[in-house]
Amino acid sequence: MSITDLPFRATTDEACAWLAQQTGAPWTLARLLEHGLTPYVWLDYDAAYPELFGDANGGYAAPIFFEGDIARLAAGSDDVVITLTKDAYKIVARLPEPGFRRRLDELRFQKKDLERLAGKLKHEAQAAPAERPAKAAGASESQLGIGKAEVLEAFARIVRMDLDKALDEAIGIFGDDGARVKASARKSKRNAVWNPVTLALGLHDAYRVPLGPLKRAFKSHDFLQAWEGDWEQSLLLLGK
């Protein structure tokens, strides 16, 4: 299957076959989801949910991105359940319980997403072997959390508190039951790291820090770039 043969919205089988051709490795639905591809399901217009469809009286392709819905698919479910999606105007919409159920063969993947993934994988495969361990280590560290100095650099100027002291006291959102990665300070406070997404959401909810400065923080600090996708996804799910 060539690029031109790949449909605009490919079935799971088509997406897996095309990626197998591009990468020389087998693909499954679980692997597609593991690499962050967003599946879609076509929703025919339903007059019972006019706010979901708006002017799209013929229906529209609804994305599946909620963690629980994706986890269910990745675990090998024999059908699709959508509890959270976007409406026809791309606004996050929570569906009525227990969600919309569809057949597994109704899943579709966008051509542009598949092409982007194939390009990314080819680029990584061509990278010098010596570069790969450093990149993997950096990604692992960034996913663990950020240190106190980085927290202060990113957020100290936009909060009305002594953030340095709050981090040291490590209570509330600053402790292990909040944003601090559990047990990261077991041996020494200097080893403590915080999840910046959880921390930023806590600063907004508990300390009324405006979202604007928090959003700018994720865009203006290099050490937060690895977290920007998680931050935006969290805001999306919360409707903020």
Side-chain angles (χ1 to χ4, degrees):
M1 185 186 297
S2 66
I3 289 180
T4 55
D5 294 329
L6 189 63
F8 177 69
R9 292 193 184 97
T11 65
T12 301
D13 288 344
E14 290 170 335
C16 289
W18 185 80
L19 280 172
Q21 182 187 71
Q22 299 297 312
T23 64
W27 284 79
T28 62
L29 173 58
R31 193 177 179 200
L32 295 176
L33 300 174
E34 179 185 340
H35 279 78
L37 289 178
T38 300
Y40 290 76
V41 167
W42 183 267
L43 298 182
D44 288 320
Y45 182 81
D46 189 336
Y49 309 102
E51 69 286 351
L52 187 64
F53 294 89
D55 295 330
N57 53 19
Y60 74 100
I64 304 172
F65 55 83
F66 181 56
E67 182 179 359
D69 299 342
I70 292 294
R72 185 176 182 276
L73 285 173
S77 65
D78 55 7
D79 64 357
V80 180
V81 174
I82 317 170
T83 60
L84 193 76
T85 187
K86 292 183 181 180
D87 64 18
Y89 300 110
K90 302 188 184 304
I91 298 173
V92 175
R94 186 170 294 278
L95 302 178
E97 295 290 345
F100 289 175
R101 191 178 296 270
R102 295 294 185 272
R103 299 191 318 272
L104 199 59
D105 63 10
E106 293 184 70
L107 287 177
R108 296 293 184 271
F109 292 88
Q110 293 198 74
K111 178 178 181 179
K112 64 178 183 179
D113 292 342
L114 293 166
E115 292 175 347
R116 185 182 301 114
L117 175 59
K120 176 177 178 287
L121 294 174
K122 288 178 181 178
H123 175 75
E124 291 176 352
Q126 293 169 358
E131 295 178 0
R132 291 176 191 160
K135 290 182 178 179
S140 175
E141 290 168 5
S142 69
Q143 288 305 306
L144 181 64
I146 62 174
K148 178 181 176 181
E150 293 169 324
V151 172
L152 294 176
E153 182 180 344
F155 304 115
R157 296 179 182 177
I158 59 178
V159 299
R160 296 179 178 178
M161 71 174 79
D162 186 341
L163 187 56
D164 191 333
K165 181 180 178 182
L167 294 174
D168 284 342
E169 292 177 347
I171 59 176
I173 67 167
F174 307 105
D176 285 351
D177 292 328
R180 191 171 73 178
V181 176
K182 196 166 187 178
S184 63
R186 182 176 296 167
K187 294 182 178 179
S188 168
K189 286 185 178 180
R190 290 180 298 176
N191 297 328
V193 293
W194 287 262
N195 181 305
V197 174
T198 306
L199 181 61
L201 292 173
L203 290 172
H204 174 65
D205 291 337
Y207 294 94
R208 301 182 181 233
V209 177
L211 283 177
L214 293 171
K215 291 178 180 178
R216 287 192 290 275
F218 279 90
K219 292 186 178 296
S220 58
H221 296 285
D222 290 343
F223 55 82
L224 291 180
Q225 284 185 355
W227 300 89
E228 190 174 356
D230 290 343
W231 165 248
E232 293 179 350
Q233 181 75 356
S234 296
L235 293 181
L236 196 65
L237 293 174
L238 294 170
K240 295 182 180 292

